[in-house]
Amino acid sequence: MEGSPRLGGAVRTSDLESAAEVLRGDPVRTRAARRLRSAQNGSPAVDRLVELAARLLGAQAGQISLLGDVQSVAGVAGLPPGAATRETDLADTPCTLAAAGTDVLAIPDARADERVGRLPQVTGGQVVAYLGAPLTDGDGHVVGTLCVFDPLPREWSETDAATLQQLAASVVTELEYAALTGEYERQHLRWRLAMDAGGVGTFDLDLRSGELVWDDPLMTMFGYTAADFDGTMTAFNRRLHPDDLPRVSEALRACIDLVGDFEAEYRVVRPDGGTRWVQARGRALAGPDGTTVRVLGAAYDTTEDRTGDVRVTRVLEAMPAGFYSLDHEWRFTHVNAEAERLLGRSREELLGEVIWTAFPATVNSEFEDNYRGAVRTGQPVNFDAHYPAPLNGWYELRVWPTPEGLSVYFIEVTERKLAREHAERSAQRLAVLAQVSAELAGTLDAQAATSRLPRLVVPGLAQWGIVTVVDADGRPRDVGWWHAEPSSRALVERYAAVRLDAMPATSPVTRALLAGEAVRANADDVVALLNDGEARDLLTALAPGAAVCLPLRGRGRTLGVLTLYFGRGDMLSREDLATAQDVADRAGLALDNTRLYAQQQQLAEGLQRSLLTEPPEPDHAEIAVRYLPAVEAARVGGDWYDAFLQPSGSTMLVIGDVVGHDTEAAAAMGQLRGLLRGIATYSDASPVEVLRGLDASMAVLQTHVLATAAVARFEQTDDERRRGITRMRWANAGHLPPLVINPDGSVAELAAWRGDLLLGVDHEVERQESVVTLDRGSTVLLFTDGLVERRDADLDAGLVRLRDALAEVSHLPLQQLLDEVLERLVDGRPEDDVALVAVRLHRQDRPRPVEAGPNEVPDVVPPEPA
């Protein structure tokens, strides 16, 4: 995408100090940063933006820094109160590097970065992973940074950089707006004080910096020039008459301590020795903590002329706001200098002119309604209004009736209005982006989430929209649509149903799919592409002015298109287009993740099928198996089952679980399963010998895995076969013991058991073997712990649930019994992998093709260790 940010690379250690010197050496940039410092207090939007940055990028904390002579913190998120240092030297913060560069600065691990590794916030572990974007004002000056950081290392992506850069633009907008609003507020207060004092000079004392600002009339009054006035209280005291200094100082101190008003009349001794009397009034402004941070005021010379009319005239001419008065016939009777400038007309042209004639756009407008309303009610009115060309500006007005007619004070607020609209638009774009991110985050049903995209971006970015997705066969399909006007939604729905079939190969949608780039189109041109028919009629009825087709891009492929439509005369700004493409890219990535997950799922299922084979079908028993993967896993794990016949004719059942839940665990499971099969089928070994042999093989082969396993062998002599009984010989390496369902449906409680050590821990451990005698019709179930374990319950409770379920379904056929057990215990959606293997001994004696081998041992009843 055009203008995409790049991630900054590594440079030398000295670059931090060099960057700080570069920033300090630019006085214009420093003044621009100082101007925005006033936005630090009372701008909740700034705090919300830094919180949004941390949340969208998944970072623990974030910070907005302004870089003047030092770094000052304008907003912070994710840190305890007081944790962020309010002022930091430029050479002691990674934000200086971010501000000095042209790209977004990405540091995966600050501890290993020579530029910033020595900084206290890095060595203290607060900042390890860092991502910072420069804050550039409208004049191109870098005034600070927006950054996010984590206490752990992290790789930052190009998408992270793009998101942070977009947020940085919104931060500058909010800071500019807050600073501009503060300037307007101070200006308003100066007007009121000037009107109260009747003077011509104003002053502004900033207690935080100690800076004293005088306008030109006040400096002239005190006998200063711009060259010799140093902007401090010392300059004021130097001109104050010594006899008046204690009294004036005490009045100013009381004003500051009480956050109140200041009023004093004093003498000024000018450089030529002359003395002038000055009347001054001021007012204290409080900061967020309630203490005085600024004193604003006005003063006028009362030496020669103190008449009220002259003072008022001086106020009106000196005040930085437009003023005019109208008589009862709506004729101009007074126009001050600032009104001449704002209205673009001289007072000679306006005096005696009727306002409705001089400014015809005021007729039947907010101006006329409010002016006449103030005269009718006798009450002052405050309002904002726009006057069209030739003024073409927004104005804030205060009007009030007087005995002579109407007085009007006004200022132009076009810049403030545009800044506010820009900030609101930026906030709207960020809200859309945040909502889309929330919809798509973590979902595996990305197509359903993508179909809702038009509802999320309309009307924030467009009047209406349609989203198209390419299906598995490569055909595009419209899957979602929305219109801002409810009355038009049925038209859009029908248009989405027929438009793709009616569009030629040169349509904007097709071009966006093929090129993978945004395509702008005039709606009239699109209508011309369509043949006569329903699609053309519907688009004509919807009457859009323009459209843009944004590709949904995945990894190296285009997976769909988001088409946005706009009303006639509407324009898509560069910022809106960037946000819309960001939305489309996030949807494309989500669709691609779903595609990759489906591929991984198919591969995993194929691996699973290759590792877990069907059981044998011996004459004396029925064997059934089940494997159910965890719903949150990659559909493959370390659980396994096995069932096979030994050379002696005995049936061997195996259940096992390799520690882990990934393809590596599945590969280890396949290896152990193959080893166990080889040992058991070659040697005709008993269960305990099979486990001993497997443990020894694991040690020789250095498999470095841990696993549990239970092995059961079913044995019969000729006499036992005639008597209808079977012996189950079993050994256990840390696994849950088998459960036995008797022919009468009861679940047998096995003798006390103790699971031996897991496989892979100590291959020389002495293992135990147990024997139990079973009647015809008995069922034996071996299972892994995923069947009975829950996050919200202990293992014993799960075993009780399993025994109860087995007792209730014992009458069912074996295959149906296993399905019912899975449904009751895990509802078909286990939290962990589940493997089951069960054997049901036939109720009728059947001939066996293979006689018992010499390794079978005599029956041991009741069960006891072999």
Side-chain angles (χ1 to χ4, degrees):
M1 190 165 57
E2 185 178 357
S4 297
R6 295 176 297 171
L7 300 179
V11 292
R12 299 187 309 276
T13 305
S14 61
D15 282 353
L16 182 55
E17 290 78 5
S18 300
E21 288 302 320
V22 170
L23 294 181
R24 293 192 192 101
D26 186 347
V28 177
R29 186 207 63 80
T30 301
R31 284 196 298 271
R34 286 176 182 169
R35 184 178 69 85
L36 295 183
R37 286 187 62 180
S38 61
Q40 291 179 222
N41 300 316
S43 181
V46 172
D47 292 331
R48 288 196 300 270
L49 283 171
V50 71
E51 291 173 1
L52 180 61
R55 186 166 67 252
L56 283 178
L57 296 176
Q60 185 181 81
Q63 182 172 296
I64 296 172
S65 302
L66 294 175
L67 305 177
D69 297 322
V70 296
Q71 172 188 272
S72 60
V73 177
V76 68
L79 295 179
T85 304
R86 304 313 296 182
E87 290 191 353
T88 306
D89 189 89
L90 294 181
D92 293 331
T93 170
C95 295
T96 299
L97 284 177
T102 58
D103 302 327
V104 175
L105 175 65
I107 303 178
D109 189 345
R111 299 168 301 185
D113 194 304
E114 294 183 352
R115 299 170 293 179
V116 296
R118 62 172 178 80
L119 300 180
Q121 57 268 48
V122 176
T123 58
Q126 185 183 34
V127 178
V128 175
Y130 175 92
L131 187 69
L135 300 178
T136 305
D137 67 9
D139 296 323
H141 303 124
V142 176
V143 295
T145 61
L146 168 64
C147 68
V148 294
F149 47 89
D150 271 329
L152 297 174
R154 168 178 175 177
E155 291 294 335
W156 303 98
S157 68
E158 298 289 348
T159 300
D160 294 334
T163 300
L164 191 69
Q165 191 175 63
Q166 187 172 2
L167 288 167
S170 298
V171 168
V172 173
T173 299
E174 288 296 341
L175 289 172
E176 290 276 11
Y177 176 74
L180 186 60
T181 300
E183 290 172 6
Y184 277 124
E185 290 175 352
R186 292 193 294 274
Q187 191 178 49
H188 283 176
L189 185 55
R190 287 183 184 180
W191 302 337
R192 291 194 295 270
L193 292 172
M195 285 185 286
D196 291 339
V200 295
T202 63
F203 61 87
D204 182 349
L205 174 60
D206 189 338
L207 297 176
R208 295 169 297 187
S209 63
E211 184 180 18
L212 177 63
V213 177
W214 281 358
D215 59 10
D216 291 338
L218 195 58
M219 283 197 289
T220 301
M221 192 184 307
F222 277 70
Y224 279 114
T225 64
D228 56 17
F229 178 72
D230 62 5
T232 66
M233 282 298 296
T234 301
F236 171 74
N237 294 335
R238 188 181 301 126
R239 292 286 193 265
L240 198 61
H241 194 286
D243 294 341
D244 297 338
L245 178 60
R247 174 175 52 83
V248 175
S249 298
E250 181 59 30
L252 181 60
R253 187 177 301 108
C255 167
I256 295 171
D257 293 343
L258 300 176
V259 195
D261 292 336
F262 167 74
E263 183 172 359
E265 188 171 27
Y266 48 82
R267 287 163 292 177
V268 172
V269 181
R270 295 164 57 88
D272 59 3
T275 300
R276 308 290 295 180
W277 279 94
V278 173
Q279 177 75 37
R281 291 181 183 177
R283 185 167 300 159
L285 299 181
D289 60 357
T291 61
T292 300
V293 297
R294 189 182 293 270
V295 177
L296 299 179
Y300 60 93
D301 191 333
T302 61
T303 306
E304 297 176 355
D305 187 4
R306 294 191 178 185
T307 64
D309 290 343
V310 173
R311 274 186 284 169
V312 170
T313 301
R314 286 179 175 172
V315 171
L316 295 178
E317 287 303 311
M319 63 185 297
F323 170 82
Y324 58 81
S325 58
L326 306 170
D327 62 17
H328 293 292
E329 301 301 322
W330 304 102
R331 293 188 295 262
F332 286 96
T333 58
H334 184 90
V335 180
N336 76 347
E338 182 65 7
E340 289 182 290
R341 187 186 70 81
L342 292 174
L343 297 177
R345 305 275 295 275
S346 69
R347 66 188 71 188
E348 288 77 14
E349 294 178 272
L350 292 175
L351 292 177
E353 185 84 7
V354 175
I355 187 172
W356 318 125
T357 303
F359 296 96
T362 57
V363 179
N364 297 324
S365 69
E366 289 183 84
F367 295 95
E368 183 176 11
D369 292 343
N370 285 287
Y371 285 10
R372 294 188 184 276
V375 171
R376 184 177 62 255
T377 63
Q379 299 296 320
V381 178
N382 294 284
F383 66 98
D384 289 358
H386 179 265
Y387 193 92
L391 301 184
N392 194 27
W394 280 89
Y395 299 90
E396 179 183 315
L397 301 98
R398 176 178 175 82
V399 302
W400 67 94
T402 65
E404 292 78 21
L406 192 72
S407 293
V408 180
Y409 286 94
F410 68 104
I411 59 172
E412 184 176 3
V413 294
T414 304
E415 186 179 356
R416 185 183 68 182
K417 189 81 172 178
L418 294 177
R420 179 69 268 171
E421 290 177 354
H422 187 70
E424 290 174 352
R425 185 66 178 164
S426 177
Q428 190 177 44
R429 289 193 297 268
L430 292 174
V432 169
L433 189 60
Q435 190 172 3
V436 169
S437 299
E439 285 276 342
L440 297 175
T443 181
L444 293 180
D445 190 4
Q447 183 158 318
T450 301
S451 69
R452 293 191 292 272
L453 280 184
R455 294 174 181 253
L456 302 179
V457 300
V458 171
L461 298 178
Q463 187 181 47
W464 56 288
I466 299 176
V467 64
T468 308
V469 171
V470 178
D471 63 19
D473 297 326
R475 293 191 298 269
R477 294 186 300 108
D478 287 338
V479 298
W481 49 85
W482 197 247
H483 199 292
E485 296 296 331
S487 59
S488 298
R489 288 170 191 165
L491 290 175
V492 174
E493 181 177 5
R494 182 58 189 162
Y495 178 62
V498 300
R499 69 164 189 154
L500 291 180
D501 291 336
M503 283 185 176
T506 56
S507 70
V509 172
T510 305
R511 287 157 50 201
L513 278 172
L514 295 176
E517 298 292 340
V519 177
R520 294 175 181 260
N522 182 285
D524 294 335
D525 295 337
V526 177
V527 171
L529 288 174
L530 300 173
N531 294 324
D532 291 339
E534 186 179 9
R536 183 170 186 170
D537 294 343
L538 288 167
L539 186 58
T540 302
L542 288 165
V548 60
C549 298
L550 304 164
L552 309 183
R553 298 179 292 211
R555 298 170 179 85
R557 58 189 299 175
T558 300
L559 302 168
V561 173
L562 174 63
T563 306
L564 301 179
Y565 298 86
F566 310 93
R568 297 193 179 273
D570 292 344
M571 297 292 292
L572 183 68
S573 69
R574 181 174 57 86
E575 294 83 0
D576 287 348
L577 179 61
T579 300
Q581 186 60 70
D582 197 350
V583 167
D585 287 343
R586 288 170 188 254
L589 186 60
L591 287 171
D592 202 35
N593 286 339
T594 301
R595 177 182 63 85
L596 294 176
Y597 177 81
Q599 292 178 352
Q600 184 184 20
Q601 184 181 45
Q602 293 171 358
L603 290 173
E605 289 177 349
L607 176 61
Q608 172 190 327
R609 285 192 296 271
S610 69
L611 295 176
L612 302 174
T613 57
E614 290 297 318
E617 299 180 0
D619 291 336
H620 61 281
E622 177 188 2
I623 302 174
V625 295
R626 293 290 186 275
Y627 180 87
L628 197 61
V631 294
E632 297 179 359
R635 300 193 65 84
V636 66
D639 291 24
W640 94 89
Y641 63 79
D642 205 354
F644 52 87
L645 300 179
Q646 288 189 292
S648 64
S650 299
T651 299
M652 187 79 81
L653 300 187
V654 182
I655 196 77
D657 186 0
V658 174
V659 176
H661 295 89
D662 50 26
T663 52
E664 185 175 344
M669 173 269 283
Q671 185 180 17
L672 298 188
R673 182 174 180 269
L675 285 172
L676 188 147
R677 271 197 161 204
I679 294 168
T681 56
Y682 173 76
S683 63
D684 211 4
S686 65
V688 71
E689 288 301 324
V690 169
L691 291 180
R692 287 174 184 162
L694 179 59
D695 217 358
S697 296
M698 291 169 64
V700 171
L701 296 175
Q702 298 182 344
T703 57
H704 301 300
V705 297
L706 299 177
T708 68
V711 181
R713 185 168 75 177
F714 297 86
E715 309 168 344
Q716 274 186 329
T717 64
D718 291 338
D719 178 62
E720 289 169 339
R721 187 163 56 252
R722 288 190 295 271
R723 291 161 52 197
I725 60 175
T726 300
R727 278 174 293 111
M728 182 181 75
R729 184 179 302 277
W730 63 286
N732 185 351
H735 202 86
L736 295 171
L739 290 180
V740 177
I741 308 174
N742 292 320
D744 62 1
S746 62
V747 180
E749 296 286 345
L750 297 181
W753 66 279
R754 177 177 59 86
D756 288 339
L757 200 61
L758 275 69
L759 297 169
V761 178
D762 181 5
H763 68 280
E764 295 181 352
V765 68
E766 185 71 22
R767 297 192 177 277
Q768 304 295 317
E769 191 173 84
S770 300
V771 179
V772 63
T773 301
L774 307 173
D775 293 325
R776 286 197 186 109
S778 297
T779 301
V780 179
L781 176 68
L782 285 74
F783 55 93
T784 56
D785 55 10
L787 184 65
V788 292
E789 282 190 330
R790 294 289 180 279
R791 293 190 182 100
D792 56 353
D794 59 25
L795 182 61
D796 290 338
L799 289 171
V800 170
R801 292 178 61 238
L802 175 59
R803 285 195 292 268
D804 291 344
L806 289 174
E808 293 176 7
V809 302
S810 61
H811 62 286
L812 297 176
L814 187 58
Q815 299 286 352
Q816 188 177 348
L817 180 146
L818 293 188
D819 291 337
E820 189 66 23
V821 166
L822 286 172
E823 184 65 28
R824 293 191 180 200
L825 268 74
V826 299
D827 194 25
R829 298 174 59 83
E831 297 174 359
D832 195 2
D833 296 348
V834 176
L836 305 177
V837 57
V839 61
R840 178 168 287 175
L841 304 176
H842 289 313
R843 293 182 181 275
Q844 299 296 328
D845 187 22
R846 300 185 183 184
R848 294 176 58 185
V850 181
E851 293 296 329
N855 290 329
E856 293 186 336
V857 298
D859 182 19
V860 181
V861 181
E864 60 183 42

